[in-house]
Each structure stands twice: as structure tokens, then as C-alpha cells.
Amino acid sequence: MSGPSVDPAEVAKFSAIAAEWWDPAGKFAPLHKFNPVRLEFIRREAASHFGRDVRSLRPFEGLSLLDIGCGGGLLSEPMARLGFSVTGADASERNIGTAKAHAAQSGLGIDYRATTAEELAAGGGGFDIVLNMEVVEHVADVGAYLAACTALVKPGGITFVATMNKTLKSLALAKIGAEYILGWLPRGTHDWNRFIPPTELKATLEETGLSILKTQGVSFNPLAWDWKLSSDVDVNYMVVAKR
């Protein structure tokens, strides 16, 4: 896979552990723990924006969703169960292979593609929702990547972008603590120099023509071993924007 935003080293890094995506006790264990919080946030904000009833079993029937950088499909599958017509894209063919195999076992019809944001944008078309979760800190050119992703959002559609703030707190917790002290993540998973402050991310999104709707912090409680939505954006945060 090629394109200005693709970092071959990052693709190779995640390809090497692609078989572990669905192991809740494996290398992606922190993501499994984080998943319910971001899923509920996406469901709530999407329902509010599109006027859907969250009490419905499949509230998003008739809406299309792109999960860019989908990995093994940890978000794509629950989104499909909520009624979205889901396309999952990832630059790693091994990630897509894992995602396809698991979706087949789960009986879910998800359109998984080994491709890039630039290639999708060049093909035209768009989606009601574009999920961009924990991806921007792994790309080579953030501006080019977000411009391609924005082109994939339909007029009136929304995008969710989740990443990590560039602070001393995130360096201590998300990098040194998570990778070197506690061993929650494989060493080298993240490069702190690629973390992005919310002001910078929002400015880049606005430059692509989006309007910011919301910025949401996410905090980890080590005593309860749990994540929760909060006003603290010092480490993890999510931005919702509309086209």
C-alpha cells in the first residue's frame, strides 16, 4: 500500500501482531477495555446527529459507515450490529485478513478492503459516518491523511477522530508507563512525537472544510481498571466534526 499518509513501518508493526486483534488478553487487551466507552460515545453522538432512537436494536439502518484503519474489526463489527452498512479499510492486508475471518465466524456482512484513505477518496463516493479511531498518530502525513478522510464524509455527515494529546502527562502514562513500566502495550507501539494537541487536530480538520461539533476527553482509572468519558483531554480524546 502506498500514499503520502502511509508509513510502511507502522503498517508492518501492526501486521506482525494481526492474529492477536480478537484476543482480550493479548497485545490489544487495552483496546478491548477501551472499546465499550468509545462505542457508547459513537452510538450516542450518531443517534443525536441523525435523529435515531438509541433504544432500537438497529437504530442506524440505512446509514453508511467507514471504519478507516479498522485493524481486526473491533469497531466495525459492533457498528454492523447496530444497523450500519459498514466498510472497513486498513493498509495492512494481514489486518484485513483477520477482520474478514472473524466477521465470517460472526455471520456479519462487512465490506473489508486492504486499501488507504487516499485510494478510497480517489474512487469517489462517501459515507454518512467516518470513524478515524487511534489512527492519526500512526500516519506519515497527518494533513494529507485527514484531507483524504474528509473527502469521504458525505455532506451532512460526521466524522469521529480519536487520538492522544502531546503532553508530559501522555508521555508519562501512554508511552513510558503503558509500554515500559506496566507492559500494557508492546514497546514501540506509539511515538510520542506523533501525538497531536486537540487545538492542532481541530485546526487541521477545519482546514479540510469540517465544522467541529464536540471534543471529548477519555480517562483511565487504574484503581477500577476502567475507562470513562471525562473533561480531561490531557491523554486520550475524541473529536466529532461535521461536513
Side-chain angles (χ1 to χ4, degrees):
M1 295 298 161
S2 63
S5 72
V6 177
D7 184 331
E10 291 292 299
V11 175
K13 180 167 64 182
F14 285 94
S15 293
I17 53 176
E20 297 199 39
W21 276 105
W22 288 96
D23 181 0
K27 290 182 169 63
F28 294 103
L31 197 54
H32 280 267
K33 198 69 178 174
F34 186 30
N35 222 26
V37 175
R38 59 181 188 169
L39 282 171
E40 178 55 30
F41 179 72
I42 294 166
R43 189 169 72 106
R44 188 185 70 200
E45 296 300 317
S48 174
H49 182 76
F50 291 103
R52 301 301 178 96
D53 184 357
V54 291
R55 295 169 297 180
S56 170
L57 286 177
R58 294 174 62 84
F60 302 112
E61 290 280 6
L63 294 177
S64 59
L65 179 144
L66 170 67
D67 183 8
I68 188 78
C70 64
L74 297 187
L75 278 173
S76 295
E77 289 200 11
M79 292 295 109
R81 290 190 178 95
L82 288 172
F84 284 110
S85 173
V86 177
T87 298
D90 200 285
S92 165
E93 292 195 17
R94 291 192 66 187
N95 282 347
I96 290 298
T98 297
K100 284 182 175 179
H102 197 275
Q105 291 172 0
S106 304
L108 295 171
I110 298 172
D111 180 12
Y112 282 120
R113 307 180 193 177
T115 187
T116 66
E118 289 92 345
E119 288 171 352
L120 284 170
F127 302 85
D128 296 300
I129 292 183
V130 173
L131 297 185
N132 204 322
M133 311 299 279
E134 289 80 40
V135 181
V136 291
E137 66 268 25
H138 299 290
V139 303
D141 187 327
V142 174
Y145 173 71
L146 289 177
C149 290
T150 293
L152 292 163
V153 182
K154 286 182 179 179
I158 57 175
T159 186
F160 293 78
V161 184
T163 189
M164 285 178 279
N165 199 348
K166 192 175 184 180
T167 62
L168 291 178
K169 186 175 177 180
S170 70
L171 176 62
L173 297 180
K175 179 61 183 178
I176 298 172
E179 295 182 21
Y180 291 89
I181 298 175
L182 298 172
W184 291 345
L185 297 169
R187 294 186 178 188
T189 297
H190 293 113
D191 179 351
W192 181 78
N193 293 305
R194 294 189 176 193
F195 290 7
I196 305 170
T199 51
E200 183 179 327
L201 176 62
K202 289 189 283 187
T204 303
L205 289 171
E206 288 174 333
E207 287 170 5
T208 69
L210 298 181
S211 300
I212 307 301
L213 297 177
K214 189 169 193 173
T215 303
Q216 177 68 60
V218 188
S219 300
F220 180 72
N221 183 340
L223 296 178
W225 195 252
D226 206 3
W227 294 88
K228 66 176 182 179
L229 299 179
S230 75
S231 59
D232 184 358
V233 298
D234 288 347
V235 182
N236 293 81
Y237 68 96
M238 297 182 279
V239 173
V240 188
K242 108 177 152 172
R243 187 173 182 188

